[in-house]
């Protein structure tokens, strides 16, 4: 257990790891195992990865169009709430 805390390179945070999902009635259930694309085998999300490579950070781009649409949505919600209060 100490080596897991020291190493801290679990498969679930490796860029080669792809989680398995099971389709349920109205949602997808994330399995506790997945596929290691580098080793080409099934691994647990808590396994230690010997070929660990950090995932690249995801960049979130926000444009003025996104902000304008959010402001319009908030104004619409505010209008609906004001109508319901009357």
């Amino acid at each position: 257990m100490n080596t897991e805390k020291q190493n801290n390179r679990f498969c679930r945070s490796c860029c080669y790891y792809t989680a398995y999902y099971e389709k349920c009635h109205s949602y997808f259930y994330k399995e506790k195992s997945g596929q290691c694309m580098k080793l080409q085998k099934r691994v647990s999300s808590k396994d230690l990865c010997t070929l660990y490579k950090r995932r690249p950070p995801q960049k979130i781009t926000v444009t003025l169009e996104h902000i304008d649409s959010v402001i319009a949505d908030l104004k619409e919600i505010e209008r609906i709430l004001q109508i319901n209060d009357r």
Side-chain angles (χ1 to χ4, degrees), residues 22-85:
E22 181 180 337
K23 185 176 180 183
C24 295
H25 292 287
S26 60
Y27 63 94
F28 286 92
Y29 173 74
K30 187 174 184 179
E31 296 285 335
K32 294 180 181 173
S33 62
Q35 178 78 19
C36 177
M37 297 301 171
K38 197 71 167 179
L39 297 175
Q40 292 296 313
K41 69 175 189 174
R42 184 181 186 125
V43 292
S44 171
S45 64
K46 293 186 178 181
D47 285 350
L48 294 176
C49 189
T50 56
L51 302 171
Y52 179 84
K53 185 176 177 186
R54 176 181 231 138
R55 289 181 193 259
Q58 294 179 343
K59 295 182 180 180
I60 299 174
T61 305
V62 178
T63 62
L64 290 176
E65 291 82 17
H66 290 116
I67 294 172
D68 290 340
S69 69
V70 169
I71 290 172
D73 291 343
L74 289 173
K75 286 181 181 179
E76 182 67 22
I77 291 171
E78 182 181 27
R79 187 185 66 77
I80 292 169
L81 291 174
Q82 287 175 350
I83 291 172
N84 288 338
D85 286 342

Side-chain angles (χ1 to χ4, degrees), residues 5-17:
K5 289 182 180 177
Q6 290 172 355
N7 194 355
N8 202 19
R9 295 182 178 201
F10 294 113
C11 286
R12 68 175 172 248
S13 61
C14 180
C15 71
Y16 301 120
Y17 177 79

